[in-house]
Amino acid sequence: MTESPKMNRQEVLRIELAQKRLAHRDLNDSIDALHLSVNPDLLTLQRLKRNKLAIKDEIKRLEDAITPDIIA
């Protein structure tokens, strides 16, 4: 029985980062579309912006986890 190759932590983080960036872009597109509507739902707009900010924070956390600390 052959074992499937395991992904290392860096690969998992990179995949998760790509997914978060895609979600961030999708939320941005949704926010833009809602802004263009005649009578935008301000509560929905606020919720989308809050989610987008939370994803941005997650993206930053993932980027920090992927990038090694370099002491100059």
Side-chain angles (χ1 to χ4, degrees), residues 57-72:
D57 290 341
E58 291 176 28
I59 289 171
K60 179 65 176 148
R61 179 187 58 80
L62 289 168
E63 288 173 341
D64 288 346
I66 291 171
T67 306
D69 291 334
I70 299 172
I71 300 174

Side-chain angles (χ1 to χ4, degrees), residues 10-25:
Q10 290 286 74
E11 292 169 328
V12 172
L13 291 175
R14 289 183 194 284
I15 291 170
E16 189 177 346
L17 179 60
Q19 291 172 338
K20 296 293 181 186
R21 284 180 173 157
L22 182 62
H24 188 267
R25 190 185 71 216

Side-chain angles (χ1 to χ4, degrees), residues 4-68:
S4 62
K6 293 184 179 181
M7 293 175 29
N8 67 29
R9 186 174 191 279
Q10 290 286 74
E11 292 169 328
V12 172
L13 291 175
R14 289 183 194 284
I15 291 170
E16 189 177 346
L17 179 60
Q19 291 172 338
K20 296 293 181 186
R21 284 180 173 157
L22 182 62
H24 188 267
R25 190 185 71 216
D26 290 344
L27 276 173
N28 194 50
D29 291 345
S30 297
I31 290 168
D32 289 344
L34 194 55
H35 271 296
L36 295 175
S37 65
V38 175
N39 194 9
D41 180 0
L42 298 180
L43 199 56
T44 300
L45 192 59
Q46 183 180 17
R47 181 181 53 80
L48 291 173
K49 286 182 178 182
R50 191 176 307 120
N51 289 346
K52 182 180 166 191
L53 185 58
I55 290 175
K56 183 178 179 183
D57 290 341
E58 291 176 28
I59 289 171
K60 179 65 176 148
R61 179 187 58 80
L62 289 168
E63 288 173 341
D64 288 346
I66 291 171
T67 306

